[in-house]
Amino acid sequence: MHIESVNTDILILGAGGAGLFAALHAIKANPDLGVTVASKGLLGKSGCTRMVQGGYNVALAAGDSVERHFMDTIVGGKWLPRQDLAWTLCETAVVRVRELENELGCFFDRNADGSLHQKAFAGQSFDRTVHKGDLTGIEIINRLMEKVWSRDVRRLEEHRAIELLPATDGSGIAAVLMIDVRSGDYKLVRTRAVLLATGAGPTMYRYHTPSGDKSCDGLAMALRAGLGLRDMEMVQFHPTGLLGGPDTRMTGTVLEEGLRGAGGWLLNGDLARFMEHYDPRGERATRDIVSRAIYAEMRAGRTSPNDGVYIEMKHLGPDNVTRMFKGMVKRCADCGFDLAGGRVEVVPTAHYMMGGVEFDADCSTAWPGLFAAGEDCGGVHGANRLGGNGVANSTVFGAIAGDSMAAFVDLSKHRRDVDASAIDAAVARAEKPFTQSPGALYELRERLSALMWDDAGILRDRAGLDRAADGVKALSAELDSTGVSDDDRRFNLTWHDWLNLHSLLSASQIIIAAARLREDSRGAHFREDFPETGSLESSTYTRICDNGDGIKADMLPVEFSIVVPGQSLIDGDAGTPGG
């Protein structure tokens, strides 16, 4: 089989905020470098950054501080974040938002005095979320896309990464094997440094916010490469995904947190507010608490017609709601719902994975030459990501990764030789579906989404997690015996559906393994059989890896490198409005 081979100095996997920022910073650091951006979709048109509605957390205003942002992040993350990473996020966000404005040309909303407007988001003690209405992600990704197009960056659009390939001598990463979706041919990209910035996307759940092509490919590749994955049990459910019924693909789409931050109400099927029964912060509690509260109302049968609950904004004035949230008002109207003047059904929806590849503050990983940034990474958010910290995370660490890769390549003058046996194994894995009789992939994926939602979702216990583990094992065996047609590999979407499902099953397996290991409740991970959090001072995080002998799961102590539980860097309470 012929495999085209191309060479580059830096290969960036993913074209979201992390990937595009990395490309710009790498070229700025060394304009002579060959930089290639590969995307499963189209540059600037795919990935999750574009879908960000809410905004960008940054400590800018008088009365706010990096320390306050940091403490909100640590407390919101239930003391599980790696503190040097969380500090880097909060400190560097101040630099990055100025870069977004002054160098990229982002137009964010402003106050009458010309300062950046910062709105309220849940779980924060200060209103610090910079935004462009409720279309912040589009503003950021469009400006990034324009800058990348103006630079000498090679683009591999509609190229799917399927394997991280080691050097023959085991000294680090040497290449990435890809599939050109347009032709169906394999492509070997030899490189001196790789950025894993594919995003994650928990689309293995019944309700989810990312597009269906987001399938945790980066995490699955990292697992096969033997890298450690941290906090994989921590899957964030956004409390308010649009619930449009079974006949619309808009179900699961986020109705962003700013609605609740502005004073929106959650109502159960009896049209009664219920959040204050679960948390004194009401609708402005953190995402994990609000999601569990909604799920509890659903289990109790106090639901809307489509078995969710309602969000209501009309008490704030329909004209004001339309002005503040015009993107969501229009999106709801397109689905037949009146967000400004009526009620909209919502349901918790799988949104973000706090867990991912273990990495350092310079974005390096345990594999020399492999860097990681964005949602592929674990450790920044701990047990719960604050709304507004996601796009900040991608842009902060994406830029750091670009600088770090440029410095690494300056010291690494030669590309490593690629392990040929690893290429053969990767090709054989991707070719496997062509050796089997075609089967019902959609039905397999539907069964996975029901299994993960019911047994490894918002509320968990040992019996359910055991069922989930057995179910994923059985589905993996079924997938291995299910094939696809080999009539034409050009845009063979059924083949890519098979590969998507393969990645999702791998990610589901490690989510379940970590969730079974953690016998306490923290943030997004709630065990009904172990409902207590336990001692914060003895906090531990999960690490999952596969060194070729199967999944190994460990719990390791959290290092409190900046602040310890019981102490604080600020006056007042972190995570509480006005705290």
Side-chain angles (χ1 to χ4, degrees), residues 222-434:
L223 183 70
R224 290 195 296 270
L227 294 168
L229 301 173
R230 174 176 176 149
D231 298 328
M232 285 301 299
E233 73 276 22
M234 300 301 178
V235 180
Q236 182 170 77
F237 287 79
H238 195 290
T240 52
L242 178 66
L243 183 56
D247 298 323
T248 173
R249 300 184 71 169
M250 293 299 290
T251 286
T253 302
V254 164
L255 297 181
E256 62 112 328
E257 197 156 290
L259 297 174
R260 291 182 289 115
W265 293 343
L266 292 174
L267 310 176
N268 61 23
D270 299 328
L271 302 185
R273 291 180 70 185
F274 57 86
M275 272 308 306
E276 290 187 356
H277 297 303
Y278 297 93
D279 192 280
R281 293 171 293 183
E283 282 86 356
R284 286 188 64 173
T286 53
R287 290 176 173 179
D288 56 311
I289 293 172
V290 181
S291 292
R292 287 197 298 275
I294 293 173
Y295 195 78
E297 294 293 303
M298 293 165 60
R299 286 210 307 190
R302 296 185 288 269
T303 61
S304 59
N306 286 301
D307 296 325
V309 298
Y310 297 103
I311 190 165
E312 182 174 286
M313 303 295 295
K314 62 184 179 182
H315 57 282
L316 301 176
D319 290 343
N320 289 331
V321 175
T322 300
R323 175 179 53 81
M324 291 188 294
F325 304 107
K326 61 182 180 181
M328 279 182 291
V329 169
K330 183 180 186 303
R331 190 176 306 115
C332 288
D334 289 343
C335 296
F337 307 112
D338 183 5
L339 178 64
R343 302 185 194 97
V344 177
E345 291 185 71
V346 294
V347 67
T349 178
H351 183 53
Y352 190 94
M353 299 179 74
M354 278 76 74
V357 177
E358 291 186 300
F359 78 124
D360 287 325
D362 65 353
C363 295
S364 63
T365 72
W367 241 22
L370 178 65
F371 296 78
E375 197 182 346
D376 276 329
C377 299
V380 178
H381 308 293
N384 185 48
R385 176 178 69 81
L386 297 181
N389 270 2
V391 70
N393 175 39
S394 294
T395 57
V396 162
F397 288 105
I400 290 172
D403 295 334
S404 296
M405 288 189 295
F408 178 86
V409 168
D410 282 344
L411 298 174
S412 175
K413 299 301 183 185
H414 303 287
R415 295 183 189 89
R416 301 172 176 88
D417 292 329
V418 187
D419 185 337
S421 65
I423 299 174
D424 293 340
V427 170
R429 186 180 299 109
E431 289 287 305
K432 184 168 186 177
F434 297 124

Side-chain angles (χ1 to χ4, degrees), residues 27 108 122 131 136 142 208 234 236 243 268 321 436 476 539:
I27 285 183
F108 298 122
H131 62 105
T136 309
N142 283 354
H208 56 262
M234 300 301 178
Q236 182 170 77
L243 183 56
N268 61 23
V321 175
Q436 311 284 351
S476 296
S539 296

Side-chain angles (χ1 to χ4, degrees), residues 25-336:
H25 269 248
I27 285 183
K28 184 177 181 180
N30 186 347
D32 295 328
L33 290 177
V35 176
T36 300
V37 176
S39 175
K40 198 173 176 181
L42 299 175
L43 190 71
K45 302 295 184 181
S46 57
C48 289
T49 302
R50 185 175 188 84
M51 301 169 70
V52 170
Q53 299 173 29
Y56 191 113
N57 287 346
V58 56
L60 294 176
D64 199 6
S65 65
V66 170
E67 289 81 3
R68 182 169 292 280
H69 186 187
F70 171 80
M71 287 305 305
D72 285 348
T73 299
I74 296 300
V75 170
K78 309 303 178 188
W79 291 89
L80 288 193
R82 184 173 144 177
Q83 294 190 1
D84 61 333
L85 299 178
W87 182 266
T88 298
L89 169 72
C90 299
E91 181 179 51
T92 312
V94 180
V95 177
R96 199 69 69 237
V97 80
R98 297 304 188 194
E99 184 178 353
L100 283 164
E101 277 198 297
N102 300 328
E103 296 186 34
L104 272 75
C106 288
F107 286 92
F108 298 122
D109 289 0
R110 294 185 175 275
N111 298 309
D113 63 1
S115 61
L116 286 173
H117 182 263
Q118 296 179 270
K119 63 183 176 181
F121 256 33
Q124 302 194 67
S125 61
F126 204 92
D127 297 352
R128 66 169 62 92
T129 308
V130 170
H131 62 105
K132 173 70 171 177
D134 59 352
L135 300 170
T136 309
I138 290 177
E139 178 68 15
I140 290 173
I141 210 71
N142 283 354
R143 303 292 83 77
L144 281 169
M145 181 174 60
E146 291 165 358
K147 288 292 184 182
V148 168
W149 279 349
S150 71
R151 302 292 192 267
D152 185 19
V153 175
R154 180 175 186 173
R155 305 199 299 271
L156 294 177
E157 295 181 291
E158 294 181 317
H159 276 68
R160 179 192 197 115
I162 60 171
E163 204 71 32
L164 308 173
L165 298 170
T168 303
D169 61 4
S171 60
I173 194 166
V176 175
L177 185 64
M178 314 195 80
I179 296 172
D180 182 342
V181 176
R182 298 171 181 177
S183 67
D185 296 330
Y186 294 99
K187 185 172 292 182
L188 181 69
V189 184
R190 300 180 66 243
T191 182
R192 291 191 274 172
V194 173
L195 177 63
L196 193 64
T198 64
T203 60
M204 67 284 286
Y205 288 92
R206 177 181 294 148
Y207 303 113
H208 56 262
T209 67
S211 57
D213 65 334
K214 300 296 291 182
S215 51
C216 301
D217 295 330
L219 298 180
M221 289 189 292
L223 183 70
R224 290 195 296 270
L227 294 168
L229 301 173
R230 174 176 176 149
D231 298 328
M232 285 301 299
E233 73 276 22
M234 300 301 178
V235 180
Q236 182 170 77
F237 287 79
H238 195 290
T240 52
L242 178 66
L243 183 56
D247 298 323
T248 173
R249 300 184 71 169
M250 293 299 290
T251 286
T253 302
V254 164
L255 297 181
E256 62 112 328
E257 197 156 290
L259 297 174
R260 291 182 289 115
W265 293 343
L266 292 174
L267 310 176
N268 61 23
D270 299 328
L271 302 185
R273 291 180 70 185
F274 57 86
M275 272 308 306
E276 290 187 356
H277 297 303
Y278 297 93
D279 192 280
R281 293 171 293 183
E283 282 86 356
R284 286 188 64 173
T286 53
R287 290 176 173 179
D288 56 311
I289 293 172
V290 181
S291 292
R292 287 197 298 275
I294 293 173
Y295 195 78
E297 294 293 303
M298 293 165 60
R299 286 210 307 190
R302 296 185 288 269
T303 61
S304 59
N306 286 301
D307 296 325
V309 298
Y310 297 103
I311 190 165
E312 182 174 286
M313 303 295 295
K314 62 184 179 182
H315 57 282
L316 301 176
D319 290 343
N320 289 331
V321 175
T322 300
R323 175 179 53 81
M324 291 188 294
F325 304 107
K326 61 182 180 181
M328 279 182 291
V329 169
K330 183 180 186 303
R331 190 176 306 115
C332 288
D334 289 343
C335 296

